[in-house]
Amino acid sequence: MPDIEFFDAHVALGPRKVVFPGQDWVPADLCPRLAECGITAALVHHTAAVEDNPVTGNDLLTEALRDPALHGLRELHPAWAVLPFSTREQGSPDDLRRRLKANGVKAALLYPAAQGFSAAPWCAGALYDLLEAMRLPTFVRANPPDFT
């Protein structure tokens, strides 16, 4: 047992559009890599939630975290990408709240530049209100991801 245990707040699961050598995206490959680095727990998101759309990516993450290869190996906590309610892709605030709780989501991810919405309160204010009320840690990536 190491003296220091590490928590990784940004683990991506799933294939990226641009594949890099050493990229671990299958659950069975991910866990040994985390252990090798001394990481005992992590927030995990699916790459499709960022590179394609949050609804599909979040569903893929939920399915992937049910993989038997992960059971008992790591503490992997789901982090979902979310959108403002004006998109109507994730339902009403009550719908999203229920889904977040039902799936044990531990953090929210916002990618306004990559997903084409304003992070300003006029656009995402109701979403911020929900996340605040749920006391859900929220990570915002203001600049577009670099896929090169």
Side-chain angles (χ1 to χ4, degrees):
M1 169 85 49
D3 293 336
I4 298 175
E5 293 184 1
F6 293 99
F7 181 93
D8 190 330
H10 190 74
V11 171
L13 186 63
R16 292 189 62 184
K17 288 182 179 178
V18 177
V19 180
F20 294 95
Q23 178 182 336
D24 298 316
W25 62 269
V26 177
D29 294 338
L30 178 67
C31 292
R33 181 66 60 106
L34 293 175
E36 178 184 306
C37 297
I39 296 168
T40 58
L43 280 176
V44 183
H45 70 278
H46 200 283
T47 56
V50 180
E51 296 182 9
D52 293 317
N53 78 67
V55 176
T56 300
N58 295 338
D59 289 345
L60 288 169
L61 175 66
T62 300
E63 182 181 325
L65 290 179
R66 291 186 185 123
D67 187 323
L70 298 178
H71 293 193
L73 295 177
R74 293 277 136 238
E75 283 192 57
L76 300 177
H77 307 284
W80 275 17
V82 293
L83 296 167
F85 298 111
S86 59
T87 68
R88 299 183 181 169
E89 292 179 59
Q90 294 180 310
S92 70
D94 286 339
D95 294 335
L96 183 57
R97 177 193 308 267
R98 279 191 293 277
R99 289 191 69 215
L100 291 168
K101 286 187 174 204
N103 289 287
V105 175
K106 303 298 183 199
L109 309 172
L110 281 80
Y111 297 91
Q115 295 174 339
F117 66 88
S118 172
W122 66 265
C123 181
L127 177 60
Y128 298 149
D129 291 344
L130 172 67
L131 299 174
E132 180 181 12
M134 293 182 72
R135 302 185 56 80
L136 199 62
T138 302
F139 298 84
V140 180
R141 174 116 186 224
N143 61 328
D146 181 8
F147 296 115
T148 58

